[in-house]
Amino acid sequence: MNDLLPNLPWSVLFLPLLSAVAIALFTKKNRGLSAGISIGAIVISFLLSAFLFFQYRDAKQIPDTVLSWVSVGNLSVDIGIKLDSLSLLMLLIVTGVGSAIHIYSWGYMHEDRAVSRYFASLSLFTFSMLGIVLATNFFQMFIFWELVGVSSYLLIGFWYERASAADAAKKAFITNRLGDFGFLIGIIMVWALAGSLSFGTLQESFKANPQILGASATLAGLLIFCGAMGKSAQFPLHVWLPDAMEGPTPVSALIHAATMVAAGVYMLCRVFFLFNLPALEIISWIGGFTALLAAVIAVQQNDIKRILAYSTLSQLGYMVMAVGVGGPAAAMFHLTTHAFFKALLFLGAGSVIHALHHEQDIWKMGALKKKMPVTFWTFLIGTLALAGIPPFSGFYSKDAVLAAAFEHNAILFIVATLVAALTAFYMFRLFFVAFLGAPKSDASDHAHESPKIMTMPLQILAVLAVIGGLIGIDTFIGKTFQPEAHAVHFAERFLAPFGHAPMAALFGILASVIGFSIAWSLYANASCDPLPEKLGVLSRAMRNKFYFDEIYSGLIAITHEAASRLADFIDRWIVAGLMVRGAHGTTELFGRALRLVQTGNLQIYAFLFVAGVAVVLYFVLFRS
Amino acid sequence: MNLITLEIAVVILALAVLLGDLWTPVAHKRSLGYAAAGGLIIIFSYSFFAAPAFGSGFNDMLVVDGLSLFFKRFFLVAAIIVIFIALEFADRIETGISEFYSLILFALTGMMFAASANDFVLVFVSLELVSVTFYVLNSFQRNRLASLEAGIKYLILSALSAAFLVFGIAFIFGTSGTTNFSAIHGLLETGPDFGKNSAFLLGILFVIVGLGFKIATFPFQIWAPDVYQGSPAPATAFLAIGSKAAGIVLLLRVLFIAVPQVALHWNTLLIVLAAITILYGNLCAIPQRNLKRLLGYSSIANAGYLLLGFAALNQTGFAAILYYLCGYLFAVLAAFMVISIVTCGRDSEDVTVLAGLNQRSPLLATVLTLAMISLAGIPPLAGFFGKFLLLKAVVEQGATNSAYYWLVGITLIGVVISLYYYFGIIRAIYWSKEPADLSPVIVSWPARAVLIVCAAGMLYLGLLPDRAVQQTQLAVQVLKVNSPAVQIQKEARHP
Amino acid sequence: MNSILTYIILAPLIGALVVLLVPRNFRFIIRGIAQAATLISMVLAIKMFFFDFTTNFPREQLTEKIQWVASLGINYHVGVDGLNVGLILMGAIVAFAAVCVSHNIKTYEKEFYILLLVMTGGILGAFASLDLFFFYFFHELALVPTFIMIGVWGRGENKNYATFQITLYLSIGALLALVGLIALYLQLPLGNRTFNIIELTKYFKAQPMNLAAQQFIFPLLLFGFGILVSLWPFHTWAPLGYGSAPSATAMLHAGVLKKFGLYGLIRIALPLMPDASQSWLHVLAVLCLGNIVYCGFVAMRQRDLNLLIGNSSVAHMGFCFLGIASLTLIGITGAVTVMVAHGLLAALTFALSGYIYQQTGTLDIRQMGGLLRQIPFIGAALVMAAMAGCGLPGFANFPGEALVLFGAWKAFPLVTALAVWGALVIGAVYMLRAVRNILHGPMAANQTPIADASLLRKLPYALLLATLLLFGFVPSLLTDKIKPSAQSIVEMATRPLKIQKMEKDSSATAPRAAVK
Amino acid sequence: MTPVGLEHFLVVSGVLFCLGLWGVIVRRNLLIMYMSLELMLNAANLALVSFSRFNNRLDGQIMVFFIITVAAAEVAVGLALIVALYRKKQTAHVEDLATMKL
């Protein structure tokens, strides 16, 4: 058993890859088998992860297992396995939530003709995500970072024949690449200054010499953060995430809610030691701003998935802000609970969409409580959790974030509270409009509950969303950042928020209640949205996402597009035209001009001959 | 063996062809050509089996050494192939085909004597022998105005250059008191200070004018395109290779046997002449459509490349000249052979006659392509190695005078320009737009054999250059040169 | 004939000879011979790479030397070390794939295969040669068929102009390099002259070349080789030429032959002329941005798939240049890795575009759309190629480019930052744009039904992809081999400080020597 | 009155040479051009003979014999050519002789 143990994490990592390869190469024709392989792989991964979790739960320090990938000069890149509380927790989230979503997917997608491709991509994603989670060094993280990006690309563009899906996939990938641009430079910078890429070694050297990055510490930190900005869709690179909802809904749940987008936050926590105060300050502001911006936009969205997408953005902003205000543990905690309830919400939304034959407009739903009871109740749990109503998980994690903000930055605390209120508002708006009231379309009138294979994952996730805040996740994480933290009893946990930061807890609850009440008053029985009339221009701006897409496309037009036009112009006309054709033309012209000498007239020939003799004589005899 | 056995044999062969004509019925005139070629092949082989002893004779007027023997064989090969070209061309010469063969043989004699010249008298006589026969050869198609025109242009300009040559010889004789190369060299080495005398230098320059005309180097190149275009193809071919090589060997002998001390100071002149010649030939060739005229310009450009070897002023350069000439021989003669065959029965000599040649006769197309690639100086053919050697020789000299680097640069430009028109010919063969008639071209067996020999020659010189390089290096050993670069290198080796 | 390299080089050349003797009507046999010849070459190259090559051997191995032109010191001399072993393997694989995808050549098949095989032999010979003359000779041997093949079997209206331009550019580049190489040869003293690269290296290691000569020769080689690799701003021939070339030619040239210039720079220019290298590398670093960024921008605007790929191929060369300019072990190792990886990638992309052209009759990406449904295999391969092209991990390009960027950071941080932009952002923009327009989206209105590759036809694509993935997953297969050789190159190229000191010393004593 | 020396002969020879050259360049009739060329050759002959006389060596005289012989042959061929041209084209003017150019 002990011999086997070191290999287990490798199996966790590579099982999904194997399943992806197997599907791509062999079982493309057999849809059921493909799905089975993929689901089997991730479930086994989950079981192994759970085993690892219990095996290592109390271990103090687990040494990295590494394989050398490339080693040239003083650059040595390893592919390895890092196991600590952070990665163990993330392993469970990725494989656990992932398993649920894989199973759900088979129900959701089984009619699609490209199911095999779907599951292969999903497995590839799982592999990549696990690679990030287990990474022992920056380079490995970057590798899997990119792979995650590409699997996301493949899955967003799964229905590639839809122009919108194809465009969204492209946009997501390129926006992520913008972030990765900074990330890679940051990595190179850290490597050049600190001499290592390994998290362990880096942490040691930072402990020994906090000033190791010298003057460029802030810059390096922010460049690294760029990576998170892309992956976790922070302002100003947030624009891709809402569009990414073009992908199948389970994909949105897994990648664009629970796991991949959280990778940025995970990375920030993983290398938290690297950031100095100015960098953290900026990070926290960006996080706070993103949270607020997204929450405001979410208020006026009508597409069920887009509302959830903006809420994801907003919550990610929350987490990033938490990291920025010095609460990585809070960020991870919120990440975990968010993974549960946001996956739940997305799957619930998927269930509704599935039942309504791909209708996503909440104003064409309604009255689903009777027709889809499981979906209804689980979605309600998700909403409550997200809105931060105690004792659901969201309350505890959000409170941890609020507490961290409260300690460090009053303004950000106010922003965060405001966001909490907005969150409660738009979530209940969604809930009231989509699930309650009168049926607003034929489709919603004839909806049916989804099959068991889809509702079962909902139920599992709902349970997690309820108890997620109470099972000790926060203390487990805390071990990484505050090793001396002690275990607490369940009862203590239940009331913990009121214990150590009563103000934050009170404000948090208050905000949720206010949000809920306003939503109730406006949308409890509404058949159309009353807000646009009241807010006017602001509402239109919110609906149009504050015109970020337009601004960006304008920006791209005057930068990249213009540069490419210019380069193409220079290439076509100056280099290829003027210079190359010019040289060619001039040469030919010379040739044509020169041969005019050959008049065919013998007398002129004789004259030229004699003139030539004269010139030669002159130069040789009189010039030298 | 006598010093001039080979020449005597050629003259006897020429006379035999002339006489044989009297007893040969018109229908069998062709056999005279085969007889001439066969005779030359025997003489050529004979030159290997019984190599003439080295030495000099006729009052030191004539010398047989490695260089002369090399060129004699060179001229023999050229003449053999030219006679085969003439055989393909024979139907376009109305009368006197046997005279045509024997004139080629007489010109050959002149060239062979030129290879051995060690005295300005012999220079003049051998050169005039070549010139006068070429007057006739060039204008042999008396009913074609172009041929006559070519003949007359060649006549006047050649006579003009001969006048300069003779006048130059007079001055050399007047200042040095002798016309013998060895004697002049000896006097320059030890004797009175006439090496700086401008009358003497004028004489040398006038001699260079006369020889430069033969080589078609700038500024005496003006005749080449017209004459190449107008003359019958075999005559042009022989002019392009034989007459040029005769000029080259004489120039080598004059500059580096008779007056090496003077030549050493003329590197700038040689560099400038080489550079302008290369540019002139290549630039003018760009818009050219007439095949023979194109080759005329190309011949000017190649004269420029050959001058590189002179400008380098070292043994490597001279050896490279010889090597380059060998490669040039096969390429140019192959090209003219193909042109003779392709233009048969056609008025035009435009590149369009090549259209679809690859379908009409793959052999012709392949050989012409190879010839063009070789002329363009692209591996693995002879032209590449020749240019490689020439450039190497010039760069080697670069340490003494940075002008050599400019020369290299201009040569490269010239080579690149030349790619354009050589590839233009290849393009005309393989993918010309106008669909020509695609009737197969019948190529006689002797012509096939010659073409294959030419192709093999180009490939051999390009792929297995070792033996030929050694031969050329041996041949140029008689040329004395004390180039500054060599001196510097010698000093560097023995500080 | 005791080196495996000789067999690798000779197989295609002998194949060409055999094809020459086969009557042109036996098309199947001609194809078979070509396929067999390249297969033999490839199998031998694989054997050499994985079994015969000793990874930590400090010098050239598997050498063979046959005297050729004794009077000039020219030998047929082949051997491999870390720098060229990967290139030879890559070349042999690409050649095999190139023959595989040439089945659509219907006119003058015999000539086509002769030229293709000669080109292959030339390419493999050029990379294997340890003799300057043969190094150059083989390169030219491969170059000429390129011109002819583009001219005769090329496509598009610009064919003639493209042929013309590629011929002139490459000839100029090759000639400049030739002059540089001759000048290099002449730097040796009269008695010791040799074309042997090993001897040259040894000699100049012991006795550094004087500065003036370095400053004269290095730029010749830099720009001569640079033009061959489409160094900005001498790059316009590349997209144009590849756009018009038949797939096999574009594969072999863009993939393999083009790397000759880079190989020459690394193998000859850097170690022999350290001082000049140091002073010129800044220029190179700036020019390489022209490749990476500028050509990337140009690629973004191309509407013809081949022009897009061609420009992207030019852009990728920038990373090799950057790696060379960095003059660090990491950078050079990266550059060589990129060379191998890009060779496979370029071959793959040109093969794919050739397939698409053959099926759709167009390469205008605006006229295509939604092809992925009809040609899932080719489409998937194209997506993977695009991903590899924008530096996705898992493909061999990624470790190469990453190494280059890591290696170049210390010397040129700003350039590296811009190169990262080029690698991650610009590359992604144009590659994904192509994928989006060709494969994704709704099917184009005037689309005729087209067929995916049959099982057998998939072979070349699968082969190239598999190799890309293999080196992408296990890059140490390459890097471990490259490292020792790159190390010795870097050691030689970064000696200049010592030399300048020595020159100062020797200049003090020089007058005395002259007096003597 | 100074005795007639080498210089005088050379001057005459030079003048003759230049006259011949002038004739070749300016006269348009082929026959006259050809005669001018002969004039140049004879100028050279004169120089050779005088050098020979003043150097006290016979080589020059020998050369002159060769030149005269060769010139005779040349004239024979040249005149035949010009006559052939005249027959074909009824002209002996150089301007009419420019079908090949450029």
Side-chain angles (χ1 to χ4, degrees), chain B residues 218-235:
Chain B
F218 182 89
F220 321 114
Q221 85 297 350
I222 198 94
W223 58 277
D226 291 15
V227 176
Y228 275 58
Q229 184 184 351
S231 307

CSV table of all heavy atoms in Angstrom, one decimal, chain B residues 218-235:
chain,number,residue,atom,x,y,z
B,218,PHE,N,34.0,44.5,-71.6
B,218,PHE,CA,33.8,45.9,-71.7
B,218,PHE,C,35.1,46.6,-71.8
B,218,PHE,O,36.0,46.3,-71.1
B,218,PHE,CB,33.0,46.3,-70.4
B,218,PHE,CG,32.6,47.8,-70.4
B,218,PHE,CD1,31.4,48.2,-71.0
B,218,PHE,CD2,33.4,48.7,-69.9
B,218,PHE,CE1,31.1,49.5,-71.0
B,218,PHE,CE2,33.1,50.1,-69.9
B,218,PHE,CZ,31.9,50.5,-70.5
B,219,PRO,N,35.3,47.7,-72.5
B,219,PRO,CA,34.3,48.3,-73.4
B,219,PRO,C,34.4,47.8,-74.9
B,219,PRO,O,34.1,48.6,-75.8
B,219,PRO,CB,34.7,49.8,-73.3
B,219,PRO,CG,36.2,49.7,-73.1
B,219,PRO,CD,36.5,48.5,-72.4
B,220,PHE,N,34.9,46.6,-75.0
B,220,PHE,CA,35.0,46.1,-76.4
B,220,PHE,C,34.0,45.0,-76.7
B,220,PHE,O,34.2,44.1,-77.5
B,220,PHE,CB,36.4,45.6,-76.6
B,220,PHE,CG,37.5,46.4,-75.9
B,220,PHE,CD1,38.2,46.0,-74.8
B,220,PHE,CD2,37.7,47.8,-76.3
B,220,PHE,CE1,39.1,46.8,-74.2
B,220,PHE,CE2,38.6,48.6,-75.7
B,220,PHE,CZ,39.3,48.1,-74.6
B,221,GLN,N,32.9,45.1,-76.0
B,221,GLN,CA,31.9,44.0,-76.1
B,221,GLN,C,30.8,44.3,-77.1
B,221,GLN,O,30.0,43.4,-77.4
B,221,GLN,CB,31.2,43.9,-74.7
B,221,GLN,CG,30.1,44.8,-74.4
B,221,GLN,CD,30.4,46.3,-74.4
B,221,GLN,OE1,31.6,46.7,-74.5
B,221,GLN,NE2,29.5,47.2,-74.5
B,222,ILE,N,30.9,45.5,-77.7
B,222,ILE,CA,29.7,46.0,-78.4
B,222,ILE,C,29.3,45.1,-79.6
B,222,ILE,O,28.1,45.1,-79.9
B,222,ILE,CB,30.1,47.4,-78.9
B,222,ILE,CG1,28.8,48.2,-79.3
B,222,ILE,CG2,31.0,47.4,-80.0
B,222,ILE,CD1,28.3,49.0,-78.1
B,223,TRP,N,30.2,44.4,-80.2
B,223,TRP,CA,29.9,43.6,-81.3
B,223,TRP,C,29.2,42.3,-81.0
B,223,TRP,O,28.4,41.8,-81.8
B,223,TRP,CB,31.2,43.2,-82.1
B,223,TRP,CG,32.2,42.4,-81.1
B,223,TRP,CD1,33.0,43.0,-80.3
B,223,TRP,CD2,32.3,41.0,-81.0
B,223,TRP,NE1,33.7,42.0,-79.6
B,223,TRP,CE2,33.3,40.8,-80.0
B,223,TRP,CE3,31.6,39.9,-81.6
B,223,TRP,CZ2,33.6,39.5,-79.7
B,223,TRP,CZ3,32.0,38.7,-81.3
B,223,TRP,CH2,33.0,38.5,-80.3
B,224,ALA,N,29.4,41.8,-79.8
B,224,ALA,CA,29.0,40.5,-79.5
B,224,ALA,C,27.5,40.2,-79.8
B,224,ALA,O,27.2,39.2,-80.5
B,224,ALA,CB,29.4,40.1,-78.1
B,225,PRO,N,26.6,41.0,-79.2
B,225,PRO,CA,25.2,40.6,-79.4
B,225,PRO,C,24.8,40.5,-80.9
B,225,PRO,O,24.2,39.5,-81.3
B,225,PRO,CB,24.4,41.7,-78.7
B,225,PRO,CG,25.4,42.3,-77.8
B,225,PRO,CD,26.7,42.2,-78.4
B,226,ASP,N,25.2,41.5,-81.7
B,226,ASP,CA,24.8,41.4,-83.1
B,226,ASP,C,25.4,40.2,-83.8
B,226,ASP,O,24.7,39.6,-84.6
B,226,ASP,CB,25.3,42.7,-83.8
B,226,ASP,CG,24.5,43.9,-83.3
B,226,ASP,OD1,23.8,43.8,-82.3
B,226,ASP,OD2,24.6,45.0,-83.9
B,227,VAL,N,26.6,40.0,-83.6
B,227,VAL,CA,27.3,38.9,-84.3
B,227,VAL,C,26.8,37.6,-83.8
B,227,VAL,O,26.5,36.7,-84.7
B,227,VAL,CB,28.8,39.0,-84.1
B,227,VAL,CG1,29.5,37.9,-84.8
B,227,VAL,CG2,29.3,40.3,-84.7
B,228,TYR,N,26.6,37.4,-82.5
B,228,TYR,CA,26.0,36.2,-82.0
B,228,TYR,C,24.7,35.9,-82.7
B,228,TYR,O,24.3,34.8,-83.0
B,228,TYR,CB,25.9,36.2,-80.5
B,228,TYR,CG,27.1,35.9,-79.8
B,228,TYR,CD1,28.3,36.6,-80.0
B,228,TYR,CD2,27.1,34.8,-78.9
B,228,TYR,CE1,29.4,36.3,-79.3
B,228,TYR,CE2,28.3,34.5,-78.2
B,228,TYR,CZ,29.4,35.2,-78.4
B,228,TYR,OH,30.6,34.9,-77.7
B,229,GLN,N,23.9,37.0,-82.8
B,229,GLN,CA,22.5,36.8,-83.3
B,229,GLN,C,22.5,36.4,-84.8
B,229,GLN,O,21.8,35.6,-85.2
B,229,GLN,CB,21.7,38.1,-83.1
B,229,GLN,CG,20.3,37.9,-83.5
B,229,GLN,CD,19.5,39.3,-83.4
B,229,GLN,OE1,20.0,40.2,-82.8
B,229,GLN,NE2,18.3,39.3,-83.8
B,230,GLY,N,23.4,37.1,-85.5
B,230,GLY,CA,23.3,36.9,-87.0
B,230,GLY,C,24.0,35.7,-87.5
B,230,GLY,O,23.5,35.1,-88.5
B,231,SER,N,25.0,35.3,-86.8
B,231,SER,CA,25.8,34.2,-87.4
B,231,SER,C,25.1,32.9,-87.3
B,231,SER,O,24.2,32.7,-86.5
B,231,SER,CB,27.1,34.0,-86.6
B,231,SER,OG,27.8,35.3,-86.6
B,232,PRO,N,25.5,31.9,-88.2
B,232,PRO,CA,24.9,30.6,-88.1
B,232,PRO,C,25.3,30.0,-86.7
B,232,PRO,O,26.3,30.3,-86.1
B,232,PRO,CB,25.7,29.8,-89.2
B,232,PRO,CG,26.3,30.8,-90.0
B,232,PRO,CD,26.5,32.0,-89.2
B,233,ALA,N,24.4,29.2,-86.1
B,233,ALA,CA,24.5,28.7,-84.8
B,233,ALA,C,25.9,28.1,-84.5
B,233,ALA,O,26.5,28.4,-83.5
B,233,ALA,CB,23.4,27.8,-84.4
B,234,PRO,N,26.4,27.2,-85.4
B,234,PRO,CA,27.7,26.6,-85.1
B,234,PRO,C,28.8,27.6,-85.0
B,234,PRO,O,29.7,27.5,-84.1
B,234,PRO,CB,27.9,25.6,-86.2
B,234,PRO,CG,26.7,25.6,-87.0
B,234,PRO,CD,25.8,26.7,-86.6
B,235,ALA,N,28.7,28.6,-85.9
B,235,ALA,CA,29.8,29.6,-85.9
B,235,ALA,C,29.7,30.4,-84.6
B,235,ALA,O,30.7,30.7,-83.9
B,235,ALA,CB,29.6,30.6,-87.1
